[in-house]
Amino acid sequence: MKKLLGLNLTELGEVAAAVGLRPFAARQMAKWLYDKRVTDIEQMTDLPKRARAELSEQGYSVGRHTPIAEAVSRDGTAKFLFDGRGGRSIEAVYIPDRERATLCISSQAGCRMGCRFCMTGQGGWQGNLDAGDIINQIFSIPKSETLTNLVFMGMGEPTDNIDAVLAAIDIITAPWGMAWSPRRITVSTIGKQPGMDRLLAETNVNMALSLHSPFADERGSIMPVERAYPLTDVIATLRQHDFAHQRRLSMEYTMFEGLNDDLRHARALARLLRGTDARVNLIRFHRTPGFDGRPSSQTVMERFRDCLNDNGITATIRASRGEDIMAACGMLAGANDATKKQESE
């Protein structure tokens, strides 16, 4: 079947023309898809019945599909498993937090960046999601209508699938689409620069850079991307953009005991980031089967945070959510046996 979900106005116009509809039908279909969120072409009742039938005969469907499994954490976080690509499922994580409701969405089935500490990367890459697959994660979870924020921090490296990610962001932010403010969207990247450059040039969404060490040799030992796109070059690029007014910039820093968590690292990180308007999110490492690192203690993390703050860099320790259902940072693997339906305790 050919999906309508994920198509922009131009593409919907081409579909409309193919079934004999006038150009304005593209906006009608967009409203049904992205505002009213229909699940079936027959629900598009202001399209002629003949045109709806023709769409179906030509192999079109809305393209919505529901999760195949769900797990609920004792802290209220919920993880949803969807069919993905190449035989590998993908996961999206719903994170309620008082007045906020954030959905962490995936952009790829697996990942080919090879970060040693990440379960997604340990399983390899099975394929890119398209814009419809990305939008479907937003629309097809329970409580979809309550969402206040989106983060591209699930499975995959968004800048490694930049065409689909940009297409999805266009739909999410366009007046004819979901009409969200770009400030409600954050895209996480490890700094694959060609895609990152396009994200900066073509959107105003917030950006989060997965940093994890200020030293090139140490970062390269756990993140192969450092050898292709050095952190110093990535930071230099970020300095050319306005993160004080147009969007926010954050640094994701997972802390590993004895590897990147002493004050030498904190001071070097402060020097690296000075003048960037970036804030640092310190993340407790969640142990994964394929990596022998250990999480830093709370005391060490607090000392690291205080050192950054004392050196003019705003830093906070991110609360860990959903670890009991393998939904925390670095733990998404797209495994059916890891996402069975649970009751919160």
Side-chain angles (χ1 to χ4, degrees), residues 23 32 95 122 125 187 210 233 244 249 256 278 320 339:
W32 287 112
I95 309 166
Q122 291 167 12
W125 176 84
V187 177
S210 294
D233 293 348
L249 175 64
F256 308 100
S320 180
T339 320

mmCIF file of all heavy atoms in Angstrom, residues 23 32 95 122 125 187 210 233 244 249 256 278 320 339:
data_model
loop_
_atom_site.group_PDB
_atom_site.id
_atom_site.type_symbol
_atom_site.label_atom_id
_atom_site.label_comp_id
_atom_site.label_asym_id
_atom_site.label_seq_id
_atom_site.Cartn_x
_atom_site.Cartn_y
_atom_site.Cartn_z
ATOM 1 N N PRO A 23 -6.500 21.259 -7.171
ATOM 2 C CA PRO A 23 -5.366 21.452 -6.265
ATOM 3 C C PRO A 23 -5.733 21.694 -4.810
ATOM 4 O O PRO A 23 -4.996 21.278 -3.899
ATOM 5 C CB PRO A 23 -4.645 22.666 -6.870
ATOM 6 C CG PRO A 23 -4.978 22.590 -8.332
ATOM 7 C CD PRO A 23 -6.389 22.082 -8.394
ATOM 8 N N TRP A 32 -7.380 16.489 7.076
ATOM 9 C CA TRP A 32 -7.847 15.196 7.573
ATOM 10 C C TRP A 32 -6.709 14.398 8.203
ATOM 11 O O TRP A 32 -6.884 13.764 9.248
ATOM 12 C CB TRP A 32 -8.481 14.394 6.440
ATOM 13 C CG TRP A 32 -9.823 14.880 6.003
ATOM 14 C CD1 TRP A 32 -10.156 15.457 4.812
ATOM 15 C CD2 TRP A 32 -11.040 14.838 6.750
ATOM 16 N NE1 TRP A 32 -11.479 15.781 4.762
ATOM 17 C CE2 TRP A 32 -12.062 15.405 5.950
ATOM 18 C CE3 TRP A 32 -11.372 14.375 8.031
ATOM 19 C CZ2 TRP A 32 -13.372 15.513 6.381
ATOM 20 C CZ3 TRP A 32 -12.691 14.477 8.467
ATOM 21 C CH2 TRP A 32 -13.670 15.046 7.641
ATOM 22 N N ILE A 95 6.700 10.247 28.208
ATOM 23 C CA ILE A 95 7.235 10.654 29.509
ATOM 24 C C ILE A 95 6.368 11.773 30.086
ATOM 25 O O ILE A 95 6.503 12.939 29.694
ATOM 26 C CB ILE A 95 8.693 11.137 29.378
ATOM 27 C CG1 ILE A 95 9.538 10.108 28.623
ATOM 28 C CG2 ILE A 95 9.298 11.422 30.759
ATOM 29 C CD1 ILE A 95 10.887 10.634 28.153
ATOM 30 N N GLN A 122 24.361 -1.192 19.425
ATOM 31 C CA GLN A 122 24.915 -2.539 19.531
ATOM 32 C C GLN A 122 24.183 -3.526 18.635
ATOM 33 O O GLN A 122 24.755 -4.521 18.198
ATOM 34 C CB GLN A 122 24.851 -3.001 20.995
ATOM 35 C CG GLN A 122 25.807 -2.249 21.922
ATOM 36 C CD GLN A 122 25.512 -2.496 23.383
ATOM 37 O OE1 GLN A 122 24.736 -3.394 23.733
ATOM 38 N NE2 GLN A 122 26.115 -1.712 24.251
ATOM 39 N N TRP A 125 22.094 -1.563 12.323
ATOM 40 C CA TRP A 125 21.104 -0.764 11.600
ATOM 41 C C TRP A 125 20.340 -1.634 10.622
ATOM 42 O O TRP A 125 20.937 -2.423 9.879
ATOM 43 C CB TRP A 125 21.825 0.364 10.861
ATOM 44 C CG TRP A 125 20.976 1.236 9.991
ATOM 45 C CD1 TRP A 125 20.234 2.310 10.382
ATOM 46 C CD2 TRP A 125 20.811 1.143 8.571
ATOM 47 N NE1 TRP A 125 19.609 2.890 9.297
ATOM 48 C CE2 TRP A 125 19.952 2.188 8.165
ATOM 49 C CE3 TRP A 125 21.308 0.273 7.588
ATOM 50 C CZ2 TRP A 125 19.577 2.391 6.843
ATOM 51 C CZ3 TRP A 125 20.926 0.466 6.275
ATOM 52 C CH2 TRP A 125 20.076 1.517 5.903
ATOM 53 N N VAL A 187 15.912 17.929 18.618
ATOM 54 C CA VAL A 187 16.550 16.850 17.854
ATOM 55 C C VAL A 187 17.926 16.590 18.452
ATOM 56 O O VAL A 187 18.748 17.499 18.586
ATOM 57 C CB VAL A 187 16.681 17.209 16.365
ATOM 58 C CG1 VAL A 187 17.405 16.097 15.610
ATOM 59 C CG2 VAL A 187 15.304 17.446 15.753
ATOM 60 N N SER A 210 25.018 14.992 21.705
ATOM 61 C CA SER A 210 25.543 13.942 22.571
ATOM 62 C C SER A 210 27.057 14.073 22.605
ATOM 63 O O SER A 210 27.736 13.789 21.618
ATOM 64 C CB SER A 210 25.133 12.564 22.040
ATOM 65 O OG SER A 210 23.742 12.390 22.119
ATOM 66 N N ASP A 233 35.303 20.634 15.641
ATOM 67 C CA ASP A 233 34.692 21.171 14.417
ATOM 68 C C ASP A 233 33.185 21.352 14.603
ATOM 69 O O ASP A 233 32.599 22.344 14.136
ATOM 70 C CB ASP A 233 34.951 20.237 13.232
ATOM 71 C CG ASP A 233 36.419 20.180 12.833
ATOM 72 O OD1 ASP A 233 37.205 21.029 13.314
ATOM 73 O OD2 ASP A 233 36.768 19.279 12.050
ATOM 74 N N ALA A 244 20.765 31.781 21.597
ATOM 75 C CA ALA A 244 20.276 32.597 22.693
ATOM 76 C C ALA A 244 18.830 33.011 22.480
ATOM 77 O O ALA A 244 18.084 33.205 23.441
ATOM 78 C CB ALA A 244 21.164 33.838 22.856
ATOM 79 N N LEU A 249 20.130 25.148 22.838
ATOM 80 C CA LEU A 249 21.190 24.166 22.619
ATOM 81 C C LEU A 249 21.509 23.509 23.952
ATOM 82 O O LEU A 249 21.757 24.188 24.948
ATOM 83 C CB LEU A 249 22.450 24.840 22.058
ATOM 84 C CG LEU A 249 23.688 23.951 21.901
ATOM 85 C CD1 LEU A 249 23.450 22.847 20.881
ATOM 86 C CD2 LEU A 249 24.908 24.791 21.511
ATOM 87 N N PHE A 256 30.204 8.111 33.129
ATOM 88 C CA PHE A 256 30.738 6.776 33.363
ATOM 89 C C PHE A 256 31.804 6.848 34.455
ATOM 90 O O PHE A 256 32.727 7.676 34.383
ATOM 91 C CB PHE A 256 31.368 6.213 32.086
ATOM 92 C CG PHE A 256 30.470 6.257 30.877
ATOM 93 C CD1 PHE A 256 30.609 7.267 29.936
ATOM 94 C CD2 PHE A 256 29.486 5.302 30.678
ATOM 95 C CE1 PHE A 256 29.802 7.317 28.816
ATOM 96 C CE2 PHE A 256 28.671 5.343 29.558
ATOM 97 C CZ PHE A 256 28.827 6.356 28.625
ATOM 98 N N ALA A 278 25.043 27.079 25.725
ATOM 99 C CA ALA A 278 24.565 25.701 25.899
ATOM 100 C C ALA A 278 24.402 25.379 27.372
ATOM 101 O O ALA A 278 25.173 25.842 28.217
ATOM 102 C CB ALA A 278 25.549 24.721 25.267
ATOM 103 N N SER A 320 16.307 10.132 35.895
ATOM 104 C CA SER A 320 16.200 8.916 35.089
ATOM 105 C C SER A 320 14.759 8.430 35.098
ATOM 106 O O SER A 320 14.128 8.342 36.140
ATOM 107 C CB SER A 320 17.120 7.838 35.650
ATOM 108 O OG SER A 320 17.039 6.660 34.883
ATOM 109 N N THR A 339 9.518 -5.612 25.717
ATOM 110 C CA THR A 339 8.453 -4.609 25.734
ATOM 111 C C THR A 339 7.088 -5.260 25.904
ATOM 112 O O THR A 339 6.125 -4.870 25.277
ATOM 113 C CB THR A 339 8.502 -3.800 24.420
ATOM 114 O OG1 THR A 339 9.848 -3.558 24.078
ATOM 115 C CG2 THR A 339 7.837 -2.443 24.605
#
